[in-house]
Amino acid sequence: MSTTLSPTTPAATIPTTDIAVTVLIPAFNEEESITGTVEAIRKFEPYVRALEIIVINDGSSDRTGEIARGLPVTLLEHETNLGYGAGLKNGLRNARHEYILIADADGTYPLEDIPKLLAEAQNYAMVVGARTGAIVKVPPLRKPGKWIITRLAEYLSGRKIPDLNSGFRIFSKEVAMRFIQLYPEGFSFTTTITLAMMTNHYSVKFIPINYHRRVGKSSIKPLRDFTNFTILIIRICAYFKPLNVFVPPALTLILLGAIKAGFDYHHQGYLGLFGIVLAMTGVQMLFIGLLADLIDHRMKL
């Protein structure tokens, strides 16, 4: 059983693991916390076979890049802010080791829980630190949107997802690279890799963690990101689970069309145009879903 590192926990109680890990830290204006983040992660270097830390300075306008140049890390720099996903993709392509750990530089994730993720890394394609612990400091404005998109993702994917877009996880580089063309440039990277792995039947484990208030200012825009997340979830599930996306609305339209047609025939003696259009739209949507599912299965052969 793995243990966490705390001021009162002897280092000897942390289990060692024979894996090589690359840690990706995307950073945008994180001058206040980047040093502490790197130092906290380096504490675990003796407990893995090899540890590489890559900081991706994503066009920061503060001293993040200057500070990172003085740290014992590999530094990748973007001249302009390309986005969270763009930074992780750049880091993923440059990573040298077979396991990838991602962690934010804003102080929100409990880096002392890294051993919990490492202990399970070889048993699953991805291990996610799910923000369901005793202390979870999610801004109230984000909670309704987070709940809605998580329920939508669970419905469309057919899987229970405790935390859809946690930025604290470890995964196989080999598996992650299979979906790299799907990863977006923005915050939806973690949502995409979660859905891609779960809808393709890779083993994913969620481990409860705490989540703290961030250091510095957040760059998340709730309304814009909620809309983007919703569209992304539908798109990814349509790609991997097309029947889950197309069949429910198709059957709903067919049923509504049949009810409307029956109502029209009962009262007017003929089938109304609106009822026919509803039913035919549902039939067309159903065949689109079946065709998409056929293509998906054909590509997997």
Side-chain angles (χ1 to χ4, degrees):
M1 183 174 182
S2 61
T3 58
T4 59
L5 183 67
S6 69
T8 58
T9 301
T13 64
I14 301 175
T16 59
T17 181
D18 186 34
I19 63 175
V21 181
T22 294
V23 182
L24 303 183
I25 308 174
F28 176 61
N29 293 340
E30 304 290 1
E31 63 179 5
E32 299 178 39
S33 55
I34 186 64
T35 299
T37 299
V38 171
E39 289 176 348
I41 292 171
R42 281 182 58 81
K43 291 179 182 178
F44 301 101
E45 189 169 8
Y47 307 101
V48 294
R49 176 162 49 86
L51 179 69
E52 174 189 35
I53 301 177
I54 298 179
V55 172
I56 306 97
N57 177 26
D58 192 27
S60 297
S61 57
D62 64 1
R63 297 178 59 247
T64 297
E66 177 186 344
I67 295 171
R69 291 182 200 106
L71 298 174
V73 301
T74 298
L75 179 62
L76 305 178
E77 298 203 73
H78 299 166
E79 291 186 4
T80 59
N81 181 241
L82 301 180
Y84 176 78
L88 287 176
K89 287 194 290 183
N90 190 6
L92 191 57
R93 291 188 179 101
N94 285 277
R96 293 189 291 112
H97 298 318
E98 68 265 35
Y99 287 93
I100 307 296
L101 173 69
I102 64 173
D104 291 350
D106 58 11
T108 53
Y109 291 102
L111 300 179
E112 66 272 15
D113 283 347
I114 286 177
K116 292 183 179 180
L117 275 60
L118 293 175
E120 299 287 357
Q122 292 176 291
N123 302 321
Y124 299 89
M126 182 164 66
V127 182
V128 181
R131 293 165 292 184
T132 56
I135 302 172
V136 179
K137 301 292 185 180
V138 176
L141 190 61
R142 294 187 204 167
K143 289 183 179 180
K146 180 180 173 65
W147 186 88
I148 292 171
I149 63 174
T150 300
R151 299 291 84 75
L152 175 63
E154 289 180 337
Y155 168 70
L156 293 176
S157 68
R159 301 281 297 275
K160 179 69 176 175
I161 306 176
D163 193 340
L164 180 63
N165 57 348
S166 169
F168 185 49
R169 59 183 70 198
I170 189 169
F171 49 83
S172 162
K173 179 183 177 181
E174 178 189 358
V175 175
M177 290 298 290
R178 297 175 187 176
F179 307 108
I180 196 164
Q181 299 303 323
L182 297 177
Y183 303 142
E185 304 291 281
F187 282 106
S188 303
F189 176 97
T190 48
T191 300
T192 303
I193 194 172
T194 301
L195 291 173
M197 287 201 183
M198 296 188 76
T199 55
N200 283 278
H201 308 293
Y202 286 101
S203 56
V204 179
K205 182 178 180 65
F206 294 87
I207 296 177
I209 61 168
N210 295 330
Y211 185 71
H212 309 294
R213 287 190 176 89
R214 65 165 285 124
V215 176
K217 183 180 179 181
S218 174
S219 56
I220 292 178
K221 295 179 173 58
L223 182 59
R224 179 202 64 185
D225 292 325
F226 171 77
T227 303
N228 292 340
F229 280 139
T230 302
I231 294 172
L232 174 79
I233 289 167
I234 295 173
R235 178 168 64 87
I236 294 298
C237 289
Y239 191 92
F240 292 119
K241 291 279 190 178
L243 293 182
N244 290 25
V245 174
F246 289 101
V247 170
L251 294 180
T252 299
L253 288 173
I254 292 172
L255 178 62
L256 291 175
I259 293 173
K260 182 65 168 65
F263 182 84
D264 290 342
Y265 187 80
H266 178 75
H267 288 85
Q268 303 172 13
Y270 61 88
L271 300 179
L273 179 60
F274 184 61
I276 295 175
V277 169
L278 281 176
M280 291 304 298
T281 300
V283 171
Q284 289 179 336
M285 186 176 292
L286 181 62
F287 277 104
I288 290 172
L290 292 172
L291 179 61
D293 186 64
L294 178 63
I295 293 172
D296 177 54
H297 281 77
R298 176 65 178 170
M299 291 178 67
K300 291 177 180 177
L301 292 178

